[in-house]
Short mmCIF file of all heavy atoms in Angstrom, two decimals:
data_model
loop_
_atom_site.label_atom_id
_atom_site.label_comp_id
_atom_site.label_asym_id
_atom_site.label_seq_id
_atom_site.Cartn_x
_atom_site.Cartn_y
_atom_site.Cartn_z
N ALA A 390 -108.39 -2.05 2.82
CA ALA A 390 -109.81 -1.68 2.97
C ALA A 390 -110.56 -2.76 3.74
O ALA A 390 -111.38 -2.45 4.62
CB ALA A 390 -110.43 -1.48 1.58
N THR A 391 -110.29 -4.02 3.42
CA THR A 391 -110.92 -5.12 4.16
C THR A 391 -110.49 -5.10 5.62
O THR A 391 -111.30 -5.31 6.53
CB THR A 391 -110.54 -6.46 3.52
OG1 THR A 391 -110.85 -6.43 2.13
CG2 THR A 391 -111.32 -7.60 4.18
N GLU A 392 -109.20 -4.80 5.84
CA GLU A 392 -108.71 -4.68 7.21
C GLU A 392 -109.42 -3.55 7.95
O GLU A 392 -109.79 -3.70 9.13
CB GLU A 392 -107.20 -4.44 7.20
CG GLU A 392 -106.59 -4.29 8.58
CD GLU A 392 -105.15 -3.82 8.54
OE1 GLU A 392 -104.73 -3.27 7.50
OE2 GLU A 392 -104.45 -4.00 9.55
N ASP A 393 -109.62 -2.42 7.29
CA ASP A 393 -110.31 -1.30 7.92
C ASP A 393 -111.71 -1.70 8.39
O ASP A 393 -112.13 -1.36 9.50
CB ASP A 393 -110.42 -0.13 6.94
CG ASP A 393 -109.09 0.57 6.71
OD1 ASP A 393 -108.16 0.32 7.51
OD2 ASP A 393 -108.98 1.34 5.74
N VAL A 394 -112.42 -2.42 7.52
CA VAL A 394 -113.79 -2.82 7.88
C VAL A 394 -113.76 -3.79 9.06
O VAL A 394 -114.54 -3.65 10.01
CB VAL A 394 -114.49 -3.45 6.66
CG1 VAL A 394 -115.87 -3.98 7.06
CG2 VAL A 394 -114.63 -2.42 5.55
N GLU A 395 -112.88 -4.79 8.99
CA GLU A 395 -112.80 -5.77 10.08
C GLU A 395 -112.47 -5.07 11.40
O GLU A 395 -113.11 -5.33 12.43
CB GLU A 395 -111.74 -6.82 9.75
CG GLU A 395 -112.05 -7.69 8.54
CD GLU A 395 -113.13 -8.73 8.81
OE1 GLU A 395 -113.72 -8.72 9.91
OE2 GLU A 395 -113.38 -9.56 7.92
N ASN A 396 -111.46 -4.20 11.38
CA ASN A 396 -111.06 -3.51 12.61
C ASN A 396 -112.18 -2.60 13.13
O ASN A 396 -112.43 -2.54 14.33
CB ASN A 396 -109.80 -2.68 12.36
CG ASN A 396 -108.58 -3.55 12.11
OD1 ASN A 396 -108.59 -4.74 12.41
ND2 ASN A 396 -107.54 -2.97 11.54
N ALA A 397 -112.84 -1.89 12.19
CA ALA A 397 -113.88 -0.95 12.61
C ALA A 397 -115.03 -1.67 13.29
O ALA A 397 -115.53 -1.23 14.33
CB ALA A 397 -114.38 -0.16 11.40
N PHE A 398 -115.47 -2.79 12.71
CA PHE A 398 -116.63 -3.48 13.29
C PHE A 398 -116.25 -4.26 14.54
O PHE A 398 -117.08 -4.41 15.44
CB PHE A 398 -117.26 -4.40 12.24
CG PHE A 398 -118.23 -3.67 11.36
CD1 PHE A 398 -117.80 -3.05 10.21
CD2 PHE A 398 -119.56 -3.59 11.69
CE1 PHE A 398 -118.67 -2.36 9.40
CE2 PHE A 398 -120.46 -2.90 10.89
CZ PHE A 398 -120.01 -2.29 9.74
N SER A 399 -115.02 -4.76 14.59
CA SER A 399 -114.58 -5.41 15.83
C SER A 399 -114.54 -4.40 16.97
O SER A 399 -115.03 -4.67 18.08
CB SER A 399 -113.20 -6.03 15.61
OG SER A 399 -112.70 -6.56 16.83
N THR A 400 -113.98 -3.22 16.68
CA THR A 400 -113.93 -2.17 17.71
C THR A 400 -115.32 -1.72 18.11
O THR A 400 -115.62 -1.52 19.30
CB THR A 400 -113.12 -0.97 17.19
OG1 THR A 400 -111.81 -1.40 16.82
CG2 THR A 400 -113.02 0.12 18.23
N LEU A 401 -116.20 -1.56 17.12
CA LEU A 401 -117.57 -1.12 17.41
C LEU A 401 -118.29 -2.13 18.30
O LEU A 401 -118.98 -1.75 19.26
CB LEU A 401 -118.33 -0.92 16.10
CG LEU A 401 -119.81 -0.54 16.23
CD1 LEU A 401 -119.96 0.77 17.01
CD2 LEU A 401 -120.45 -0.42 14.85
N ALA A 402 -118.15 -3.43 17.99
CA ALA A 402 -118.83 -4.45 18.80
C ALA A 402 -118.33 -4.43 20.24
O ALA A 402 -119.13 -4.51 21.19
CB ALA A 402 -118.61 -5.83 18.17
N LYS A 403 -117.02 -4.29 20.43
CA LYS A 403 -116.47 -4.28 21.79
C LYS A 403 -116.84 -3.00 22.53
O LYS A 403 -117.10 -3.03 23.74
CB LYS A 403 -114.95 -4.43 21.73
CG LYS A 403 -114.48 -5.73 21.08
CD LYS A 403 -115.09 -6.95 21.74
CE LYS A 403 -114.62 -8.23 21.06
NZ LYS A 403 -115.28 -9.44 21.66
N ARG A 404 -116.87 -1.88 21.81
CA ARG A 404 -117.26 -0.62 22.44
C ARG A 404 -118.72 -0.67 22.90
O ARG A 404 -119.07 -0.14 23.97
CB ARG A 404 -117.07 0.54 21.47
CG ARG A 404 -115.61 0.90 21.19
CD ARG A 404 -114.94 1.45 22.43
NE ARG A 404 -113.58 1.91 22.16
CZ ARG A 404 -112.75 2.33 23.07
NH1 ARG A 404 -113.11 2.33 24.35
NH2 ARG A 404 -111.53 2.74 22.76
N LYS A 405 -119.57 -1.30 22.10
CA LYS A 405 -120.97 -1.44 22.49
C LYS A 405 -121.09 -2.27 23.77
O LYS A 405 -121.88 -1.94 24.67
CB LYS A 405 -121.78 -2.06 21.36
CG LYS A 405 -122.13 -1.10 20.24
CD LYS A 405 -123.06 -1.74 19.23
CE LYS A 405 -123.53 -0.73 18.20
NZ LYS A 405 -124.48 -1.33 17.22
N GLN A 406 -120.32 -3.35 23.83
CA GLN A 406 -120.35 -4.18 25.04
C GLN A 406 -119.88 -3.38 26.26
O GLN A 406 -120.47 -3.47 27.34
CB GLN A 406 -119.46 -5.40 24.84
CG GLN A 406 -119.97 -6.39 23.80
CD GLN A 406 -119.03 -7.56 23.60
OE1 GLN A 406 -118.03 -7.71 24.31
NE2 GLN A 406 -119.33 -8.40 22.63
N GLN A 407 -118.82 -2.61 26.06
CA GLN A 407 -118.31 -1.80 27.16
C GLN A 407 -119.35 -0.78 27.63
O GLN A 407 -119.57 -0.61 28.83
CB GLN A 407 -117.03 -1.07 26.72
CG GLN A 407 -116.45 -0.16 27.79
CD GLN A 407 -115.41 0.80 27.24
OE1 GLN A 407 -115.37 1.05 26.04
NE2 GLN A 407 -114.58 1.34 28.12
N THR A 408 -120.02 -0.13 26.67
CA THR A 408 -121.02 0.87 27.02
C THR A 408 -122.17 0.24 27.79
O THR A 408 -122.68 0.81 28.77
CB THR A 408 -121.54 1.56 25.75
OG1 THR A 408 -120.44 2.16 25.05
CG2 THR A 408 -122.56 2.64 26.09
N GLU A 409 -122.58 -0.93 27.36
CA GLU A 409 -123.69 -1.62 28.05
C GLU A 409 -123.29 -1.96 29.49
O GLU A 409 -124.09 -1.77 30.43
CB GLU A 409 -124.06 -2.88 27.28
CG GLU A 409 -124.73 -2.60 25.94
CD GLU A 409 -124.95 -3.87 25.13
OE1 GLU A 409 -124.55 -4.95 25.63
OE2 GLU A 409 -125.51 -3.78 24.02
N MET A 410 -122.08 -2.43 29.67
CA MET A 410 -121.65 -2.80 31.03
C MET A 410 -121.51 -1.57 31.92
O MET A 410 -121.89 -1.59 33.10
CB MET A 410 -120.34 -3.58 30.96
CG MET A 410 -120.50 -4.99 30.38
SD MET A 410 -118.96 -5.98 30.45
CE MET A 410 -117.99 -5.14 29.19
N VAL A 411 -120.95 -0.49 31.37
CA VAL A 411 -120.82 0.74 32.15
C VAL A 411 -122.19 1.29 32.51
O VAL A 411 -122.41 1.77 33.64
CB VAL A 411 -119.98 1.78 31.38
CG1 VAL A 411 -119.99 3.11 32.11
CG2 VAL A 411 -118.55 1.29 31.20
N SER A 412 -123.13 1.22 31.59
CA SER A 412 -124.48 1.70 31.87
C SER A 412 -125.15 0.89 32.97
O SER A 412 -125.88 1.45 33.81
CB SER A 412 -125.33 1.64 30.59
OG SER A 412 -124.80 2.49 29.58
N GLN A 413 -124.89 -0.40 32.98
CA GLN A 413 -125.43 -1.23 34.06
C GLN A 413 -124.84 -0.80 35.41
O GLN A 413 -125.56 -0.75 36.43
CB GLN A 413 -125.12 -2.70 33.79
CG GLN A 413 -125.88 -3.28 32.61
CD GLN A 413 -125.43 -4.70 32.27
OE1 GLN A 413 -124.56 -5.27 32.94
NE2 GLN A 413 -126.03 -5.28 31.23
#
Side-chain angles (χ1 to χ4, degrees):
T391 307
E392 179 189 20
D393 287 346
V394 175
E395 295 285 6
N396 292 343
F398 275 88
S399 175
T400 302
L401 177 59
K403 299 305 179 183
R404 289 294 185 186
K405 282 187 173 181
Q406 292 178 6
Q407 178 194 20
T408 302
E409 291 173 359
M410 289 186 289
V411 173
S412 297
Q413 291 174 1

